[in-house]
Amino acid sequence: MSSHADRTTVIVGAGPAGLTAALGLARYRHPVIVVDSPRAPRNSASAGVHGHIGMDGVTPAEFRERAWRELSRYTTVERLEDDADSVSSAPGGGFRVALGGGETVEARTVLLATGVVEARTVLLATGVVDVHPADVDGFAECWGRSVIHCPFCLGEENAGRRWATVADNAELAGLSAVAFRAWSEDTIAICQESMPGLETARATARSRGGDVVTGTVRRLHHREGALNGIELADGRVLERQTLVWTPRQRQQPVVQRAADELKLTVDDAGFVGVDASQCTSVPGLYAAGDLTSRWKQSVTASTAAGAAAADAIHMSALLGAVHR
């Protein structure tokens, strides 16, 4: 491994986790290459970032623009606008990151021969892919506006409306009337008829002013993304203005391939396991952001994880230099 690669960290992904890690490492004067996909980011449908102090309400595009403007002041940070195709072990130690373009690129810090860069450490910060229901007409048009995945993220913007939530377990269905009371006094849960514990969930919801409705969502009635009704498979239409629906998620292809090839520890849902320093089960390979947890997906959580990863990577490099 070359001397440059021996000190370089490649960050795959330029969301809140990856950009925060890049800034932290830049402050340590650590050589960093950020692989920034040219594709639209996952949060591009959102009207604004919320809950992050100093950034509340800024658009995702503005968030990224500010971040890159700040990072541009640091000479140790390099941005490569490309998709990462794979992450594998390098023969001399460290890792190889193959880029999707497959072209030779001359970078300031390292030569990328045939689209491959070697680095001592790698941080996976790609986020995840939301798998939208293909058989629900109107879902895409309402997504990020009146169909929301997280009340904390977009509840304030939907406050005072009649809400529904698609629930895949009885406990969530029963608690939704209480959990969402801060934003809506009229909340129902939509569940499958065969769900275990359905009657208990319905009784719990009704005792708190909500209800549980059984059925399968087939169509969302809306006007330019503003929801007004939820049509079920049997033709019933529920008059609602906001739908909380947390879709299934999967890893980005580069993360899935890395998990398979490097035998990363993942949980039953496929999220990458990390320790307190954001290190995966493979030494030198870190992960931060949404790809590590289904229930800690926010800008604030991701930036905190990115900062923790940067500190750990710097300390690992420092200790490695001392012992060489």
Side-chain angles (χ1 to χ4, degrees):
M1 183 176 291
S2 70
S3 59
H4 281 313
D6 193 53
R7 296 184 298 114
T8 297
T9 292
V10 171
I11 298 175
V12 182
L19 293 171
T20 300
L23 180 59
L25 290 169
R27 299 290 299 171
Y28 287 125
R29 293 192 165 185
H30 187 108
V32 179
I33 296 174
V34 182
V35 181
D36 182 9
S37 173
R39 291 174 292 136
R42 174 181 170 223
N43 67 351
S44 59
S46 174
V49 170
H50 297 291
H52 195 67
I53 193 67
M55 288 283 192
D56 193 60
V58 304
T59 67
E62 184 181 358
F63 183 97
R64 284 167 51 84
E65 182 183 352
R66 288 188 190 183
W68 280 118
R69 186 166 62 245
E70 293 168 2
L71 288 169
S72 69
R73 299 197 297 262
Y74 296 89
T75 59
T76 59
V77 178
E78 179 134 19
R79 178 185 188 181
L80 292 179
E81 295 185 76
D82 204 340
D83 285 310
D85 186 65
S86 66
V87 177
S88 57
S89 298
F95 303 92
R96 283 180 169 171
V97 179
L99 303 181
E103 299 178 357
T104 300
V105 179
E106 184 75 39
R108 291 197 308 267
T109 53
V110 69
L111 176 65
L112 306 183
T114 63
V116 176
V117 57
E118 291 191 349
R120 174 58 59 185
T121 54
V122 170
L123 170 62
L124 298 173
T126 61
V128 292
V129 178
D130 291 315
V131 182
H132 293 176
D135 56 350
V136 178
D137 184 41
F139 187 94
E141 292 83 352
C142 296
W143 177 248
R145 295 186 57 189
S146 53
V147 174
I148 64 177
H149 75 292
C150 167
F152 177 76
C153 299
L154 290 169
E156 180 66 23
E157 289 64 41
N158 284 268
R161 302 175 182 177
R162 303 178 74 186
W163 283 31
T165 180
V166 173
D168 58 7
N169 68 79
E171 183 177 8
L172 176 60
L175 292 177
S176 62
V178 175
F180 302 153
R181 183 59 59 85
W183 302 283
S184 173
E185 295 184 355
D186 185 353
T187 300
I188 62 173
I190 302 172
C191 308
Q192 295 299 312
E193 182 72 46
S194 59
M195 179 181 294
L198 179 63
E199 290 308 316
T200 299
R202 181 175 283 121
T204 300
R206 287 178 176 174
S207 70
R208 291 165 170 80
D211 203 356
V212 173
V213 176
T214 57
T216 299
V217 178
R218 281 290 176 257
R219 182 185 178 194
L220 301 182
H221 296 255
H222 66 94
R223 177 172 293 178
E224 297 182 350
L227 181 70
N228 56 65
I230 301 170
E231 183 176 331
L232 304 182
D234 60 8
R236 286 176 294 161
V237 176
L238 311 174
E239 293 184 4
R240 299 283 123 177
Q241 291 80 48
T242 297
L243 175 61
V244 182
W245 191 329
T246 304
R248 184 173 62 85
Q249 296 178 338
R250 60 176 173 80
Q251 295 290 359
Q252 293 281 1
V254 62
V255 175
Q256 187 58 63
R257 284 191 284 269
D260 293 341
E261 181 170 341
L262 299 175
K263 309 302 181 187
L264 298 182
T265 297
V266 299
D267 66 15
D268 291 342
F271 291 90
V272 178
V274 294
D275 62 18
S277 71
Q278 302 300 134
C279 190
T280 70
S281 54
V282 175
L285 181 60
Y286 296 77
D290 294 354
L291 75 163
T292 67
S293 173
R294 183 68 184 86
W295 305 113
K296 293 182 180 180
Q297 295 188 359
S298 70
V299 171
T300 302
S302 292
T303 55
D311 287 344
I313 290 169
H314 170 68
M315 185 58 65
S316 177
L318 184 64
L319 294 174
V322 168
H323 291 118
R324 279 201 294 271

